[in-house]
Amino acid sequence: MNRRHFLLSSAGVAATGLVEAPLFAQGRGGAQMPNGPLPPAIAALTNRVSGVKPITIAERQERCNSAQTLMAKNKIDAIVITSGTSLVYFTGMRGGNSERLFAWVLPVKGPAFIICPVFEEERMRELTGNVPGGDKVHFYTWDEHENPYALLGKGLKDAGLATGNIGVEEQTKFAFSDGFAHALPAAKIVSATPVTAGCRGMKSAHELELMKLANDITWHVYEAAWKSLTPGMTTRDASALISAAYMKCGVSGYASVEVDEFSALPHGSIKPQTLKEGSIVMIDDGCTVEGYQSDITRTFVLGGKATDKQKQVFEIVRKAQAAALAAAKPGAPCEAIDIAARKVITDAGYGPDYKFFTHRLGHGIGMDGHEWPYLVRGNKQLLAVGNTFSDEPGVYIRGEFGVRLEDDWVMTENGGEMFTPTSKSIEEPFAV
């Protein structure tokens, strides 16, 4: 559950006293789905992912090789990953994050090994089909009464690494990290981010292909939704319609929808909202293709008749988005992108600093919707070819409306390149 999904959780909805519109019914996974024929623009969408190629074992082996190169460069003797996106990235294994320790450990040299409960070994061995090294991966197992953390020390000793710097990913539970530290007093627990983010931040041609497809699907789903939204729908109705559109495209996706004064809250509100003729509508989020994310935001006026102020703010945000992309050059610091966009907005009278543009310019994106590196003031990390980001400036006028434009892009040798067409105007958001 991400920050936006939380706003539409059952607990959040119950707190509002919101009653579902009869136009929509509960569908697969508890999602609200259209009850009856789909609007023509959404009905016309087709499956886009039937021929998509998944990530191969060979690609995962290349990732492990790159990780070991970065480990040597950063003086990290092994990395320990217990669950989550990085586990999938390197191994293809998907596991829950329970209180029982499961860990995939990659030493700086040699093959990886796995630590898991005895009763889970057979199941985990079934999952090693996508793991580099396959059935040659060594398992260290522990019974329920035993200390699993000591097995990390044994595995490292067997790999010739009795002491050293052990990299732990930032998403790791404190209990696990603390257990490693107590079990390995001669070792030093350090951040594995230089390795995990260092690998995941540099997208391969195959990864970019998947991300481009995810973004293209989202763009077309949003366009179909724009053609299908009508006055009287609630924002939950609109989100359900978009979910149905993603299903037509063969993917899992979601969108938060905010209206009028609630569009001035960057991540929206749980309060009931209804679309009206002339409403400012903000749609945000994306879909997943083979584990790779899109994240697009469009802001438009329902009915296509904007006020002069709305047009003016939209144009300021559009210019800020363009300025950010123009500042994207290999070797430029990440913060330069934020600075370029913020200057446009401040110079237009919507400053200073975070007064109206209340968040950073963007975030890295890939297998996670938000991941390293981040486009924010103070981040001196240099942009590199293969980095992928969101570009999402906004102006939020509390009590009135907000405008945010978000598109995803890749850093190329020649500069930043958007995955999808940008928004032309607040009245024609999908005109190219």
Side-chain angles (χ1 to χ4, degrees):
M1 179 180 290
N2 68 25
R3 67 201 183 284
R4 301 185 185 109
H5 295 174
F6 174 77
L7 291 174
L8 291 179
S9 69
S10 57
V13 173
T16 69
L18 179 63
V19 178
E20 287 301 321
L23 179 62
F24 292 83
Q26 186 162 301
R28 188 170 62 191
Q32 294 298 314
M33 302 303 296
N35 184 12
L38 292 170
I42 292 178
L45 296 170
T46 59
N47 188 297
R48 301 284 306 280
V49 295
S50 57
V52 171
K53 297 181 296 183
I55 300 295
T56 65
I57 296 176
E59 288 175 287
R60 298 192 195 284
Q61 182 62 63
E62 290 177 5
R63 295 170 177 183
C64 292
N65 295 342
S66 296
Q68 289 177 318
T69 298
L70 286 174
M71 289 159 64
K73 179 180 178 181
N74 289 278
K75 296 182 171 53
I76 296 175
D77 297 286
I79 60 170
V80 183
I81 298 177
T82 58
S83 64
T85 306
S86 287
L87 182 66
V88 179
Y89 176 84
F90 287 111
T91 73
M93 301 178 75
R94 300 176 186 274
N97 188 9
S98 81
E99 78 283 4
R100 295 185 175 98
L101 175 67
F102 169 87
W104 177 79
V105 185
L106 181 65
V108 68
K109 293 181 180 179
F113 61 89
I114 286 173
I115 301 169
C116 80
V118 170
F119 74 89
E120 291 276 36
E121 181 179 359
E122 184 175 354
R123 183 173 73 92
M124 291 301 174
R125 285 192 182 276
E126 290 178 349
L127 299 177
T128 57
N130 288 324
V131 176
D135 57 5
K136 296 179 182 178
V137 174
H138 186 80
F139 276 71
Y140 293 85
T141 59
W142 55 280
D143 279 311
E144 295 278 51
H145 67 285
E146 295 179 317
N147 177 5
Y149 304 105
L151 293 177
L152 176 60
K154 178 172 174 50
L156 292 173
K157 184 176 181 181
D158 291 347
L161 298 169
T163 61
N165 294 323
I166 309 303
V168 176
E169 192 179 38
E170 62 183 348
Q171 301 289 337
T172 303
K173 285 185 175 183
F174 172 77
F176 292 168
S177 180
D178 188 55
F180 297 147
H182 282 87
L184 302 170
K188 182 179 180 182
I189 302 299
V190 300
S191 171
T193 298
V195 178
T196 55
C199 289
R200 289 174 53 189
M202 305 291 288
K203 305 301 190 293
S204 69
H206 188 184
E207 289 178 293
L208 292 176
E209 178 183 324
L210 296 172
M211 292 184 67
K212 286 178 181 178
L213 178 56
N215 277 270
D216 190 63
I217 290 172
T218 294
W219 192 92
H220 281 91
V221 163
Y222 281 12
E223 182 187 32
W226 170 63
K227 293 177 179 178
S228 305
L229 298 180
T230 59
M233 286 184 177
T234 69
T235 51
R236 295 196 80 220
D237 294 340
S239 293
L241 205 58
I242 293 168
S243 294
Y246 278 127
M247 289 182 66
K248 287 284 292 180
C249 293
V251 298
S252 173
Y254 169 81
S256 65
V257 182
E258 308 302 329
V259 177
D260 296 326
E261 67 269 26
F262 298 107
S263 64
L265 304 175
H267 286 161
S269 169
I270 63 173
K271 293 181 179 180
Q273 303 170 47
T274 300
L275 282 67
K276 302 183 294 293
E277 184 75 19
S279 283
I280 282 273
V281 182
M282 181 184 290
I283 301 176
D284 185 21
D285 246 301
C287 70
T288 304
V289 174
E290 283 294 327
Y292 287 82
Q293 310 286 321
S294 62
D295 193 2
I296 295 177
T297 304
R298 287 291 178 266
T299 306
F300 54 85
V301 173
L302 189 66
K305 296 180 181 179
T307 66
D308 288 343
K309 184 174 184 180
Q310 290 166 348
K311 291 178 182 178
Q312 178 194 49
V313 171
F314 182 96
E315 187 62 17
I316 292 167
V317 175
R318 190 191 66 79
K319 288 180 178 178
Q321 188 187 49
L325 191 69
K329 307 293 181 185
C334 285
E335 69 173 356
I337 314 302
D338 182 285
I339 291 170
R342 203 167 299 277
K343 183 178 187 303
V344 171
I345 291 172
T346 299
D347 288 351
Y350 286 94
D353 210 11
Y354 290 93
K355 185 175 181 180
F356 291 95
F357 179 13
T358 57
H359 52 77
R360 67 192 172 206
L361 183 279
H363 52 81
I365 186 170
M367 291 182 72
D368 282 328
H370 287 199
E371 61 182 41
W372 294 90
Y374 297 97
L375 302 178
V376 63
R377 185 172 60 208
N379 186 1
K380 309 294 184 182
Q381 181 176 337
L382 304 183
L383 295 170
V385 174
N387 288 162
T388 48
F389 302 94
S390 69
D391 180 352
E392 50 178 308
V395 169
Y396 309 96
I397 306 171
R398 296 295 294 272
E400 293 187 46
F401 67 92
V403 172
R404 179 168 68 253
L405 299 177
E406 178 181 17
D407 293 275
D408 299 335
W409 60 280
V410 58
M411 185 75 256
T412 74
E413 293 179 355
N414 300 317
E417 181 180 299
M418 291 290 193
F419 289 138
T420 48
T422 56
S423 192
K424 178 183 177 182
S425 73
I426 198 166
E427 296 178 342
E428 298 180 282
F430 297 96
V432 178

